[in-house]
Amino acid sequence: MGKNKRHKDNTHLPFRLNVVFFIVFVLFAGIILQLGVIQILNGEEAQDEIDRTENTTTTISVPRGEMYDRNGQVIVDNEPLYSITYTPPKGVQAGDKLELAQALSSYIDMDYENLTDRDLKEYFYLQNEQEVRDRVEDQVTEDMDNGDVYQLQLDSITEEEISGYDNQTKEVIAVKKELDQAYSLAPHVIKNSDITEAEYSAVAENLAKLPGVNVTSDWERTYPYESTFRSYLGSITSSEQGLPKDDLDYYMSLDYSRNDRVGTSGLEQEYEDVLRGTKEKVQYETDSNNTVINSKVIREGQAGKDLQLTLDMELQEEVNKIVQEELQSAIVNAPSLNRHLENAIAVVSNPQTGEILAISGQTYNRSPEEGEDRFTDTSHQALYNAYMPGSTVKGATVLTGLHEGVVTPNTWINDKPVTIGGGPPKGSYTSGIGSVNDIAALQQSSNVYMYFLAMYLGGETSNRYDMNSLQLEDGTLDKFIYNFDQFGLGVPTGIDFPYEASGVKGNLTQPGQILDFSIGQFNTYTAMQLNQYVSTIANGGDRIRPSLVNSVHEPSSSDGLGPVYKDYTPEVLNQLDMDSSYIERVQEGFRQVAQTSEGTASSIFSKQPYAQYDMAVKTGTAQASKTVFSEDGERTTYDELLNKTLVGYAPSDNPEIAFSIISPYLGEGATSTFSISNNIGARIGEAYFELKKARENGTAEEGPDEQENNNGEDAETEE
C-alpha cells in the first residue's frame, strides 16, 4: 500500500514539469513572435531612428563695405581685429556652458562692469539649482508656465546671496552671458576688442579644451577723417546690440542673425543692402545625439560692396573751417547784437548733376566746459531744420509771375511803400530804389515789385499804393505753391538719405500774408531745399535729385576701389514748365546781385579776390522768432530776430558749383551791419576754385590759398 502511494506521487512530477516547460515555451514563442513583428513591420522605422540625421543651415558674417570720397580717399574703413568666437553645438546644456565659461575665463580678461542683478542671479541658480527650486512650492506654480516659474525662482534669490562674488567669478559670469547669446551652430563673437596677443595665443593653444570656441578675425569701423561728415556717414550697431528690436522680424526675414551689425542711421542705413555683403552659408549634418558628422559650404561669402560718395573731403574740411571762422567772427565781433546766433549751415553741390560736394553745419559753444570743443558739428541741420528764407526765393517769385503772365520783362514798377487798410507801410529794406523790372527787382531785392506781382496774380490790377482793403482771388496762394514746388521749395528733395524734412507751409488766410509769402516769409525750407532750388535755376530748369553716392563697387582685394557694380546717373525729377528766356532773365538778375554796383551783395562778390570767380547769388533776410527755455522751464520768445540766407552758383555762365547758406537768429541790427552768410558763400566759391587749380597744378595737398577774411567789415546793401 505504501509503494503504490509513492508511485502515484512520482507520476505527478513529470506532468508539472511539462506544464512549466509549456508555459516557458509559450512565453518564448510570444517574444520571438513580437521580435518578428518588430523586425518585419517596424524594422526599417527603428533603423531610421537609429540612423536619424538632421541638416541645419547657418550663416557666417563678412566684413562690411567701405566708403570713399569722389577722389578715392577712404572715409569709412574696417580695422581688422582679433576675435574669439563660440559656435555652440545643438542641444548644449546650461551646465556645459558654465564649465566652458570657467575654462575660457582663465585665458582672457572679460569686462564685467555691465553685469545686471539678473546675470548674477542666473549664475547663483546654476550653482544652487535644487535649493532655489525648493524655495518655490509646487502648488504655487501649478498653473504657471516654465518662464514664469523660473522668474519666480530668480526672485527668491536675495541681494545678499549675490553680493559677495569676486572679480574672477564676475568674469566667469560675463563670459557665460556671452555664451548664452549664441545660437546653435552659429558663430557668436565672445570678445573682439582689446584682445592682447597673449590672450589670443592662450586661447588658440587650448582650443581642444574649449569645445565650440575658435580664434578668428573681426573688424570695426574706423574714420580717417574723424568727426568730419559723421552725421551723414551714419552708425551701425555693435555685435552686442545686434539687430534693432523694433525691426527684428524684418531683418530676420532677410537672412540676418540676431547679433549681426546693421546700419541704424545715415548712409550706413540707406545703403544697408549693399554694404552688408553676402554671408557665407554652411550646412551642418548632425546625428541623433546632436553631434556634427558633416558640414559643407553651400554659398561662398563675399564682403560688402564699397560706396564712392559724391563728397569732396578736402573741400568738406575747408567748408567746415570757413563756417566755423565766420560764425565765431560774427559772435565775437558783435556779441550783444548776435547773442542768439548759434548756428550756420552750408550746402555745396554740382548743379548739373545734383552731386553733393560738401555739407557743413556748425554750432558755436559760447561757454565750453573743460575738455569741450568750441564747435559742435550739426551738419544734420541741412536736412532736418527748416527756416524762413527771405528774399533768396524771389527768383521763384519772379518766374511764377512771368510764367503765369501777370508780369513781363517790360513790366516796370515804382518801388515805394504800400499800405493796406491803414496798416504799417510795406516796403523794401532799401529806400530809393526807384522803378524796377524783373531783373532790377532781383538785383536790388525789391519787395514792392514782388508785392505787386502777387497782387496781379490774385486779380488786383489797380496799381494803388494806398488801399483801404485788398481782395485776392481764391487760388492765388495755390498758384504760388504749385510753381514753388517745381523748384523743390516745400517738397522733399529726394536725396538718398533715410530722412529729410520738407519744411513747413504756413496757414496763410489774409491777402497781406500772401504778399509777404512772395518775399520769403511764413513758409520754411531746409538748406538742402534751397540748394536744389538755386541749382534748378543755375542749370536752366532741371530739378535734379541730390545725391550723396556716386557709385557702388565690388570689394577689392587690394587698396582702393574695385570694379563698378552700379553707377548712379543724375535723375531729373522734373523740368520747369517755364520759358527758357524767363529762366535766363532770373540768371541775369542773380549775376547782377553779385557783379554790379547796385547789387545787394556787390560789396563782397564784385571785389577781389572773389570777383575773378564770376559768382551769381541772391541774398535774403527773413524776420524770425526764437523760443528759449531756461533751466527752470521758463519760456521766453524773442521776436525781432533775422535769418540771413544766401543762394548762389559759379561761374555764372557755366556753373560748376551751387551753394546755399543759412545763418539763423541774428539780431535786428544785422540788417545793415553784418554779412555772415555772404562771407561764407564768397569764401566757399574761392575755396572750390583754388582747390581745383591746385589739383590741376599737382599741388592739391597744399590746399587752397587762404585769403584774408574781411569779417563782415564790408557791409552789403541789404534788402
Side-chain angles (χ1 to χ4, degrees):
M1 179 115 184
K3 289 182 179 180
N4 289 337
K5 184 178 180 182
R6 285 196 300 271
H7 177 75
K8 187 177 181 180
D9 292 338
N10 288 338
T11 59
H12 283 285
L13 182 60
F15 176 77
R16 293 174 180 171
L17 285 175
N18 289 335
V19 171
V20 172
F21 288 149
F22 178 76
I23 293 173
V24 171
F25 171 79
V26 171
L27 291 175
F28 271 103
I31 293 173
I32 293 171
L33 179 63
Q34 182 65 27
L35 288 174
V37 171
I38 293 174
Q39 180 66 29
I40 296 171
L41 299 181
N42 302 320
E44 185 176 349
E45 181 180 344
Q47 187 63 44
D48 286 344
E49 179 64 23
I50 294 171
D51 297 336
R52 180 177 62 84
T53 62
E54 184 177 345
N55 290 328
T56 302
T57 301
T58 188
T59 56
I60 300 175
S61 296
V62 294
R64 196 169 177 84
E66 300 169 351
M67 300 187 200
Y68 297 75
D69 84 338
R70 67 187 300 107
N71 300 308
Q73 300 297 315
V74 180
I75 55 180
V76 181
D77 203 354
N78 292 326
E79 179 183 356
L81 299 172
Y82 287 140
S83 179
I84 297 171
T85 65
Y86 173 57
T87 306
K90 297 186 68 175
V92 65
Q93 300 300 308
D96 299 329
K97 291 182 181 180
L98 180 57
E99 289 181 10
L100 179 58
Q102 291 168 337
L104 185 56
S105 66
S106 65
Y107 301 120
I108 64 174
D109 292 327
M110 198 73 176
D111 180 22
Y112 51 81
E113 295 299 326
N114 294 323
L115 289 177
T116 64
D117 283 351
R118 183 182 179 88
D119 298 328
L120 302 179
K121 288 183 177 183
E122 288 181 341
Y123 176 77
F124 182 90
Y125 177 88
L126 284 176
Q127 297 291 85
N128 306 274
E129 183 173 348
Q130 191 57 52
E131 177 189 340
V132 176
R133 285 179 175 228
D134 291 342
R135 295 178 183 181
V136 180
E137 297 180 3
D138 292 341
Q139 60 267 29
V140 176
T141 62
E142 58 184 358
D143 295 327
M144 300 173 65
D145 59 34
N146 291 338
D148 291 336
V149 173
Y150 181 60
Q151 183 61 55
L152 197 61
Q153 291 167 345
L154 291 183
D155 291 341
S156 72
I157 301 172
T158 66
E159 291 293 327
E160 289 76 16
E161 288 175 318
I162 62 173
S163 62
Y165 292 132
D166 58 24
N167 294 343
Q168 181 58 44
T169 302
K170 289 180 180 179
E171 284 196 1
V172 172
I173 299 172
V175 174
K176 171 66 166 52
K177 182 178 181 180
E178 285 297 331
L179 298 179
D180 286 340
Q181 294 182 33
Y183 291 88
S184 296
L185 304 178
H188 174 79
V189 174
I190 302 302
K191 184 178 181 181
N192 66 352
S193 61
D194 301 324
I195 298 178
T196 65
E197 289 189 19
E199 287 179 298
Y200 189 83
S201 299
V203 174
E205 292 169 1
N206 292 277
L207 290 179
K209 304 176 184 177
L210 303 168
V213 174
N214 196 13
V215 287
T216 182
S217 61
D218 198 12
W219 53 269
E220 70 174 355
R221 283 306 213 197
T222 59
Y223 305 89
Y225 288 87
E226 298 179 343
S227 62
T228 302
F229 207 64
R230 278 294 302 275
S231 60
Y232 286 90
L233 298 177
S235 302
I236 62 174
T237 60
S238 66
S239 56
E240 289 79 13
Q241 293 169 327
L243 302 180
K245 292 182 179 179
D246 292 343
D247 300 314
L248 182 62
D249 292 340
Y250 167 75
Y251 284 115
M252 293 296 287
S253 70
L254 297 177
D255 202 26
Y256 282 80
S257 300
R258 291 177 181 269
N259 63 333
D260 279 349
R261 288 165 279 191
V262 298
T264 55
S265 64
L267 294 175
E268 295 276 18
Q269 179 182 353
E270 183 74 13
Y271 287 90
E272 170 67 25
D273 59 333
V274 293
L275 288 170
R276 64 174 291 204
T278 302
K279 297 197 294 184
E280 181 176 299
K281 184 173 287 188
V282 180
Q283 187 179 77
Y284 294 95
E285 186 177 2
T286 57
D287 61 17
S288 58
N289 295 320
N290 291 323
T291 302
V292 176
I293 59 176
N294 189 27
S295 67
K296 62 179 179 179
V297 176
I298 59 176
R299 184 183 67 196
E300 295 288 343
Q302 185 182 46
K305 294 177 174 59
D306 299 330
L307 303 182
Q308 183 168 34
L309 308 190
T310 62
L311 200 72
D312 185 329
M313 285 301 286
E314 202 168 349
L315 178 63
Q316 174 70 47
E317 290 188 313
E318 192 65 22
V319 171
N320 282 349
K321 176 184 175 184
I322 291 169
V323 174
Q324 288 179 359
E325 289 177 351
E326 292 298 333
L327 182 59
Q328 181 164 330
S329 175
I331 293 171
V332 171
N333 290 345
S336 177
L337 177 65
N338 295 320
R339 65 185 183 277
H340 296 295
L341 174 64
E342 296 177 343
N343 310 307
I345 311 156
V347 177
V348 188
S349 71
N350 180 336
Q352 310 296 342
T353 63
E355 297 169 313
I356 301 301
L357 304 179
I359 304 177
S360 182
Q362 303 295 322
T363 297
Y364 184 81
N365 188 351
R366 295 172 185 268
S367 303
E369 301 286 342
E370 184 177 353
E372 285 186 330
D373 293 333
R374 176 64 73 178
F375 293 95
T376 302
D377 189 295
T378 52
S379 299
H380 60 274
Q381 292 186 86
L383 290 178
Y384 289 17
N385 290 11
Y387 300 93
M388 280 191 289
S391 296
T392 50
V393 301
K394 286 179 178 176
T397 300
V398 168
L399 280 169
T400 297
L402 291 170
H403 174 67
E404 296 290 343
V406 297
V407 293
T408 72
N410 294 319
T411 300
W412 290 81
I413 295 173
N414 186 20
D415 186 294
K416 64 179 184 179
V418 174
T419 58
I420 302 173
K426 298 171 69 66
S428 301
Y429 282 102
T430 302
S431 59
I433 292 179
S435 187
V436 293
N437 66 350
D438 52 344
I439 293 177
L442 293 171
Q443 175 203 40
Q444 300 178 68
S445 202
S446 168
N447 287 349
V448 175
Y449 180 93
M450 308 301 156
Y451 293 152
F452 274 96
L453 184 156
M455 286 190 283
Y456 296 160
L457 190 66
E460 172 58 63
T461 59
S462 64
N463 288 326
R464 293 176 298 166
Y465 287 84
D466 187 2
M467 294 170 281
N468 292 328
S469 63
L470 174 63
Q471 299 295 325
L472 300 181
E473 296 174 353
D474 290 341
T476 302
L477 182 61
D478 293 337
K479 293 178 183 178
F480 266 128
I481 295 296
Y482 170 78
N483 285 281
F484 273 47
D485 285 355
Q486 289 193 56
F487 295 92
L489 294 172
V491 296
T493 66
I495 191 170
D496 49 342
F497 202 74
Y499 173 80
E500 67 164 322
S502 57
V504 177
K505 295 182 179 181
N507 183 22
L508 312 183
T509 58
Q510 302 300 318
Q513 293 176 326
I514 297 177
L515 267 57
D516 288 334
F517 172 88
S518 72
I519 65 169
Q521 305 292 330
F522 292 109
N523 282 16
T524 65
Y525 310 119
T526 66
M528 187 62 67
Q529 288 175 311
L530 290 178
N531 190 276
Q532 188 179 58
Y533 148 71
V534 75
S535 295
T536 304
I537 291 174
N539 66 37
D542 290 337
R543 183 168 80 96
I544 302 177
R545 184 190 302 276
S547 59
L548 292 169
V549 173
N550 258 337
S551 53
V552 180
H553 293 253
E554 297 286 0
S556 174
S557 58
S558 58
D559 292 338
L561 287 161
V564 173
Y565 170 77
K566 183 176 183 180
D567 205 352
Y568 294 98
T569 57
E571 181 181 353
V572 177
L573 299 177
N574 63 269
Q575 294 180 310
L576 295 183
D577 184 22
M578 297 170 179
D579 192 286
S580 60
S581 65
Y582 295 157
I583 300 174
E584 290 170 1
R585 292 188 68 83
V586 171
Q587 291 172 339
E588 174 60 18
F590 279 24
R591 188 195 69 81
Q592 291 192 20
V593 171
Q595 302 300 327
T596 62
S597 59
E598 292 181 314
T600 57
S602 63
S603 63
I604 293 175
F605 287 91
S606 66
K607 294 181 172 60
Q608 295 300 342
Y610 309 118
Q612 61 184 305
Y613 307 118
D614 185 28
M615 299 190 223
V617 304
K618 184 67 193 80
T619 55
T621 300
Q623 295 180 346
S625 61
K626 180 181 181 181
T627 299
V628 178
F629 291 91
S630 63
E631 292 183 359
D632 58 3
E634 184 178 349
R635 173 176 175 171
T636 304
T637 299
Y638 300 91
D639 292 318
E640 296 184 356
L641 300 176
L642 300 174
N643 295 339
K644 303 292 288 184
T645 59
L646 180 79
V647 297
Y649 51 88
S652 65
D653 58 345
N654 186 24
E656 297 179 28
I657 62 165
F659 47 82
S660 56
I661 295 97
I662 301 176
S663 304
Y665 307 133
L666 281 78
E668 182 72 31
T671 299
S672 59
T673 62
F674 210 79
S675 310
I676 175 174
S677 291
N678 290 8
N679 288 342
I680 292 173
R683 293 183 64 190
I684 285 175
E686 178 192 28
Y688 171 83
F689 288 107
E690 289 301 308
L691 181 56
K692 177 183 176 183
K693 182 192 300 184
R695 286 171 174 161
E696 291 172 348
N697 296 335
T699 58
E701 66 276 8
E702 298 176 3
D705 294 335
E706 292 187 13
Q707 299 291 340
E708 185 176 351
N709 174 23
N710 63 22
N711 291 330
E713 293 175 2
D714 291 333
E716 65 177 310
T717 304
E718 281 290 354
E719 57 270 59

